[in-house]
């Protein structure tokens, strides 16, 4: 009985610690949601409490129409390039990872080394050459500059993630499919893709959240205000001369993150499986 009691106490302490840490981590988001219903900056910054004295939706109403373009346009613009970017990332990363993990060819080690070396390059180093290249292509002020690189496995992290997962899959499964007459593409589609589905979902979720929150990319390549995504549209309501109405900023921030939260919650099981499998088998 003493051993059982000690285990229960230990388990209870662990859950209490996890709950406390979880509340500390999530409290900024709770505060943001609560502050979005407050009436003024004074009320927002008067305390760290998140419960408004007199809840109001005025910040959402004013924020939605606070610029020349309705904020819905910025939201729509965001997913005009985010969704193709996610699709391109998953397709190109899966195909590239399959090539590195399953085939032997001359120069493979060198190419893999170059692939890994790009993980060490900060994005700021690539901004100038990419800008000059896209300008020559005539892609400035279009979403092509944001989408097309994803169709050529431009996001090395996802390629590496899928390579590590594919290496853990037994080759015997593909060999059996090859004996049954499957070609390379059929083996990739019928054998490998179902096996790496959790990691592919993880890639899609990461890319969806990162692309939705991307600020520098659209700022560099998009010039027309009506083409701005939500990240830049949110910046337009911040007037440094008259001062920020933080309730509007926070209200629109809540709206911006809701799709990412919804997508994550809808695919969280696959996401957790993919991350766990990549960490254990990689």
């Amino acid at each position: 009985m003493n051993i059982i009691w000690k285990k229960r106490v230990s388990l209870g302490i662990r859950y209490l610690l996890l709950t406390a840490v979880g509340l500390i981590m999530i409290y900024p988001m709770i505060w943001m949601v609560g502050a979005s219903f407050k009436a003024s900056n004074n009320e927002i910054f008067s305390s760290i409490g998140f419960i408004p004295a007199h809840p109001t939706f005025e910040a959402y109403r004013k924020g939605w129409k606070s610029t020349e373009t309705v904020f819905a346009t910025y939201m729509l613009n965001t997913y005009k390039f985010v969704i193709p970017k996610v699709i391109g990332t998953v397709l190109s990363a899966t195909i590239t990872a399959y090539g590195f993990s399953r085939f032997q060819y001359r120069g493979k080690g060198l190419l893999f080394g170059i692939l890994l070396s790009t993980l060490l390059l900060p994005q700021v180093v690539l901004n100038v050459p990419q800008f000059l290249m896209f300008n020559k292509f005539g892609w400035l002020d279009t979403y092509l500059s944001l989408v097309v690189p994803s169709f050529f496995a431009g996001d090395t992290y996802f390629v590496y993630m899928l390579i590590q997962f594919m290496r853990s899959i037994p080759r015997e499964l593909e060999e059996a499919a090859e004996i049954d007459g499957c070609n390379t593409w059929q083996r990739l589609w019928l054998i490998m893709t179902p096996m790496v589905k959790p990691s592919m979902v993880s890639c899609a979720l990461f890319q969806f959240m990162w692309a939705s929150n991307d600020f520098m990319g659209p700022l560099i390549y998009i010039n027309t205000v009506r083409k701005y995504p939500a990240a830049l549209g949110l910046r337009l309501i911040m007037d440094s001369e008259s001062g920020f109405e933080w309730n509007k900023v926070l209200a629109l921030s809540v709206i911006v993150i809701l799709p990412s939260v919804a997508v994550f919650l809808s695919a969280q099981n696959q996401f957790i499986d993919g991350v766990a499998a990549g960490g254990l088998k990689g």
Side-chain angles (χ1 to χ4, degrees), residues 194-263:
M195 297 289 290
V196 301
K197 183 180 177 181
S199 287
M200 292 172 66
V201 172
S202 299
C203 292
L205 284 176
F206 275 126
Q207 185 64 284
F208 184 89
M209 291 185 286
W210 291 349
S212 298
N213 296 326
D214 187 18
F215 182 84
M216 288 303 299
L219 180 65
I220 294 172
Y221 302 120
I222 306 299
N223 302 321
T224 304
V225 174
R226 288 191 60 83
K227 294 181 181 179
Y228 278 1
L232 296 184
L234 187 60
R235 180 65 183 84
L236 292 179
I237 72 172
M238 299 181 181
D239 189 350
S240 59
E241 295 182 0
S242 61
F244 299 167
E245 293 184 68
W246 282 105
N247 55 354
K248 292 196 304 184
V249 177
L250 294 172
L252 293 180
S253 297
V254 171
I255 294 174
V256 169
I257 68 172
L258 280 179
S260 295
V261 173
V263 170

Side-chain angles (χ1 to χ4, degrees), residues 70-87:
V70 178
F71 200 78
T73 302
Y74 301 133
M75 293 291 292
L76 181 61
N77 291 340
T78 299
Y79 301 108
K80 283 182 180 178
F81 72 85
V82 168
I83 293 176
K85 191 169 184 175
V86 170
I87 295 173

